């Protein structure tokens, strides 16, 4: 049954495969340059599993960095993840023993895939989601290992390949836009993050953005839910 | 290695714990079996599209639109991804073409 789930999940994860392999490689190269054996990079990608979080953490491996600063900086870089679980409370609640791993695996990309990918009718939802999560982390660990082992001698220039991740989010955004229904939340996310990026700067706009987005969604609930219903009626008709 | 193996391991554990903590918070607040308030269920439904929008901005956070090439490579590649996707609705095609185009733009053009 798992074989079938992995087979069904694989095509959906190919964009993440491209992106993770290469940002994983970039991480591996950076970490290895600090003088670490490649297994250290693998260990970190297995235990931590966070793109921007691990890029940041490479700087922690230097004398004199205080643990309290590491904790604070890591928290701030990952703060957006706090809100991801809110959309998955019920789905993960049905996943039994796999639940803990599913929570651990909630990266931007995996979360986004959960949200847009339709579970095939002949595969149980829990196994399908689990397959996506495991495949994504496998790409990440693999990329880290390659980067740490051979990054310096890779034969071609990969600069810009991380755009695959941006393209994935763009595609997901277009898909949800074309799906009809309510487009207000999508616009709220784009506009608030855009404006706050200009106001607060690239390092510190995510937390204020998330807070503004939440407030705005809660405030506009009556209006948004009404629109949702109308949107769903449109789909039905 | 700039710091000892023991400290290195401790750093990894700390970073892992903090990262996991950010992901597990909603599940701690609303544990399995506890009824989820309608407001939270509503947020769970409407947050993903808003977060995807935010993640797009997040990807472009370090692009400087006022200097250098004014983010031309990013804007062109993003435009191609969006138009191609509206036209063909093929995930891999949109992402593949957009990424290769972007790599060419940053490596050979700008």
């Amino acid at each position: 049954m798992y074989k079938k789930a992995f087979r069904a999940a694989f095509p959906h994860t190919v964009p993440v495969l491209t992106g993770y392999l290469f940002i994983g490689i970039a991480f591996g190269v950076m970490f290895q340059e600090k003088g670490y054996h490649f297994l250290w990079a693998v260990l970190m990608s297995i235990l931590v599993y966070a793109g921007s979080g691990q890029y940041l953490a490479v700087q922690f491996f230097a004398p004199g960095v205080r643990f309290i600063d590491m904790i604070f900086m890591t928290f701030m870089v990952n703060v957006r993840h706090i809100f991801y679980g809110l959309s998955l409370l019920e789905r993960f609640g049905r996943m039994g023993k796999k639940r803990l791993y599913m929570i651990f695996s909630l990266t931007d990309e995996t979360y986004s895939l959960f949200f847009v990918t339709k579970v095939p009718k002949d595969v149980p939802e829990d196994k399908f989601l689990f397959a996506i999560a495991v495949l994504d982390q496998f790409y990440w660990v693999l990329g880290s290992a390659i980067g740490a082992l051979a990054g310096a001698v890779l034969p071609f220039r990969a600069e810009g390949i991380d755009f695959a991740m941006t393209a994935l989010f763009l595609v997901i955004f277009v898909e949800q836009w074309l799906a009809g229904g309510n487009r207000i939340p999508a616009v709220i996310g784009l506009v608030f993050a855009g404006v706050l990026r200009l106001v607060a700067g690239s390092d510190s706009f995510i937390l204020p953005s998330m807070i503004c987005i939440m407030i705005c969604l809660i405030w506009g609930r009556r209006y948004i839910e009404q629109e949702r219903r109308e949107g769903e009626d449109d789909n039905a008709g | 290695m700039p710091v000892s193996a023991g400290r290195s391991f401790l750093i990894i554990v700390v970073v892992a714990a903090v990262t996991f903590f950010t992901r597990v918070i909603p599940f701690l607040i609303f544990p399995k079996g506890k009824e989820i308030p309608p407001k939270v269920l509503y947020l769970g439904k409407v947050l993903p599209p808003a977060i995807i929008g935010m993640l797009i901005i997040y990807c472009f956070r370090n692009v400087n639109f006022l200097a250098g090439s004014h983010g031309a490579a990013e804007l062109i590649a993003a435009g191609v991804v969006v138009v191609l996707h509206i036209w063909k609705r093929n995930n891999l095609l949109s992402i593949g073409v957009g990424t290769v185009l972007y790599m060419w733009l940053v490596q050979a053009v700008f």
Side-chain angles (χ1 to χ4, degrees):
Chain A
M1 211 53 206
Y2 272 107
K3 204 171 167 189
K4 199 172 176 186
F6 274 90
R7 209 172 279 162
F10 175 71
H12 298 282
T13 64
V14 171
V16 181
L17 165 71
T18 332
Y20 271 14
L21 220 46
F22 285 92
I23 55 173
I25 286 174
F27 163 73
V29 170
M30 277 172 13
F31 202 39
Q32 159 277 137
E33 280 171 352
K34 286 255 168 189
Y36 282 88
H37 190 265
F38 90 98
L39 285 176
W40 280 97
V42 170
L43 179 75
M44 192 157 181
S45 289
I46 289 174
L47 292 181
V48 179
Y49 188 30
S52 36
Q54 283 180 230
Y55 276 39
L56 172 75
V58 171
Q59 302 165 32
F60 298 161
F61 296 88
V65 184
R66 294 183 307 167
F67 276 98
I68 185 75
D69 293 334
M70 294 179 200
I71 291 170
F72 180 72
M73 286 162 74
T74 304
F75 183 81
M76 287 313 291
V77 123
N78 286 319
V79 75
R80 63 190 183 285
H81 291 144
I82 291 178
F83 303 91
Y84 291 6
L86 287 178
S87 310
L88 293 156
L89 293 169
E90 290 180 310
R91 285 175 104 182
F92 284 4
R94 295 191 291 266
M95 295 193 62
K97 281 183 191 144
K98 295 189 283 293
R99 183 166 174 265
L100 210 58
Y101 178 76
M102 298 307 293
I103 296 170
F104 162 80
S105 74
L106 271 182
T107 60
D108 298 330
E109 292 74 17
T110 303
Y111 167 78
S112 307
L113 283 184
F114 286 165
F115 167 58
V116 285
T117 312
K118 290 203 170 55
V119 183
K121 284 197 181 73
D122 53 344
V123 181
E125 184 187 41
D126 65 322
K127 293 192 171 61
F128 183 73
L129 296 183
F130 182 69
I132 288 182
V134 170
L135 284 171
D136 283 358
Q137 190 178 12
F138 173 70
Y139 308 146
W140 178 245
V141 174
L142 186 66
S144 311
I146 295 173
L149 271 175
V153 291
L154 276 188
F156 83 111
R157 286 182 67 195
E159 187 193 351
I161 196 149
D162 51 331
F163 191 80
M165 245 59 279
T166 310
L168 174 67
F169 296 133
L170 284 168
V171 161
I172 291 171
F173 192 87
V174 171
E175 274 297 324
Q176 70 183 17
W177 191 270
L178 296 179
N182 194 336
R183 291 164 178 168
I184 298 172
V187 175
I188 288 175
L190 208 54
V191 169
F192 273 102
V195 169
L196 281 158
R197 160 64 187 85
L198 295 176
V199 175
S202 63
D203 289 334
S204 47
F205 76 104
I206 286 294
L207 186 59
S209 299
M210 289 288 343
I211 292 169
C212 288
I213 288 168
M214 298 273 281
I215 291 172
C216 203
L217 289 172
I218 292 169
W219 255 355
R221 182 177 174 188
R222 188 163 302 186
Y223 184 65
I224 292 171
E225 284 205 313
Q226 194 181 355
E227 286 268 308
R228 274 183 78 86
R229 245 169 269 132
E230 281 166 15
E232 278 154 22
D233 288 348
D234 288 350
N235 284 347
Chain B
M1 278 165 64
V3 294
S4 73
R7 188 176 166 92
S8 299
F9 185 71
L10 196 60
I11 292 171
I12 292 177
V13 170
V14 166
V15 172
V18 175
T19 304
F20 181 71
F21 178 66
T22 60
R23 292 174 184 164
V24 81
I25 287 174
F27 300 90
L28 296 177
I29 299 174
F30 305 105
K32 216 156 58 174
K34 185 178 166 186
E35 204 182 326
I36 306 162
K39 189 177 271 183
V40 175
L41 284 179
Y42 156 77
L43 271 180
K45 279 202 195 88
V46 294
L47 264 178
I51 287 173
I52 305 289
M54 186 189 76
L55 285 174
I56 292 175
I57 304 292
Y58 183 72
C59 289
F60 290 125
R61 71 191 179 283
N62 291 322
V63 179
N64 188 344
F65 292 100
L66 300 176
S69 59
H70 305 279
E74 285 78 8
L75 290 176
I76 294 169
V80 166
V81 170
V82 170
V83 172
L84 193 60
H85 197 71
I86 293 172
W87 181 32
K88 292 284 188 188
R89 297 291 283 275
N90 180 326
N91 292 7
L92 286 184
L93 182 75
S94 313
I95 293 168
V97 170
T99 306
V100 171
L101 173 67
Y102 181 77
M103 290 173 70
W104 178 70
L105 287 173
V106 292
Q107 291 185 17
V109 182
F110 295 109

